[in-house]
Amino acid sequence: PAPTPAPTPAPTPGPTGSPTNVPTQPPVEPFCDDSSIASFDWDLLMTSGLSKPDVVSFDMSVEDSDLSLNIEVALTYEGRSSADDSGAVYGTTYVLDFEDFDAHADSIAQPGTCQNRDAIDFTGDFDTFWEYPLSPLGDIGTASFLAYPPPGDLWTVSMASDNECGAV
């Protein structure tokens, strides 16, 4: 290459850090096509019971040693929902709880004591609560995508399969 027309008096500094011996993980390629992620219509759900998310599986058992109740539920991975015939699309999240959730009185940002989410995750911009990943395998259950937030202490959240964008 040709010399620069106005060279600087000092060379640029060297590398800023030492290389690591630990390789970085390759980026996760999206395996969910945005158009194939399940969605539902609140108007159809409320007026006719149609368009409700599927319960893929449900199981309850009691652990005899400590009398704890174990509940496993697999639900459709929902991304968006619509309402009010306005054409607007909203993010979707599941709230799993043993108490009623009143959308007019309760706040999604203030989970109850038995919910599958922690209040600490719901600080900041309300709009970010509804973002969901196209590669949920590595991101579901993290604060990066609060549609499927980090679960509370007694809950776990994960994808049902490593190569499918179907059940959570």
Side-chain angles (χ1 to χ4, degrees):
T4 59
T8 58
T12 57
T16 56
S18 300
T20 64
N21 291 327
V22 180
T24 57
Q25 294 297 319
V28 176
E29 293 298 321
F31 61 86
C32 296
D33 180 340
D34 195 42
S35 65
S36 68
I37 294 175
S39 62
F40 69 96
D41 184 315
W42 278 104
D43 294 324
L44 285 174
L45 182 65
M46 300 306 290
T47 59
S48 62
L50 299 175
S51 184
K52 65 182 177 182
D54 291 329
V55 174
V56 177
S57 65
F58 179 81
D59 184 53
M60 290 177 55
S61 63
V62 174
E63 179 62 45
D64 292 333
S65 64
D66 61 2
L67 296 178
S68 60
L69 177 63
N70 298 309
I71 299 172
E72 287 188 36
V73 60
L75 303 165
T76 306
Y77 182 63
E78 296 285 335
R80 346 164 250 297
S81 56
S82 59
D84 305 326
D85 296 322
S86 65
V89 177
Y90 306 100
T92 305
T93 189
Y94 285 109
V95 174
L96 303 177
D97 200 347
F98 294 102
E99 296 178 15
D100 291 339
F101 183 85
D102 181 345
H104 300 286
D106 295 329
S107 169
I108 194 78
Q110 296 173 341
T113 57
C114 294
Q115 272 191 26
N116 63 311
R117 51 194 64 234
D118 290 325
I120 191 71
D121 298 321
F122 291 88
T123 57
D125 183 15
F126 184 77
D127 291 340
T128 63
F129 295 176
W130 311 107
E131 295 177 5
Y132 58 92
L134 293 178
S135 301
L137 191 60
D139 292 319
I140 196 164
T142 70
S144 300
F145 297 97
L146 291 177
Y148 293 88
D153 293 339
L154 301 175
W155 294 85
T156 57
V157 62
S158 62
M159 292 304 290
S161 173
D162 327 1
N163 59 3
E164 163 186 333
C165 189
V168 178

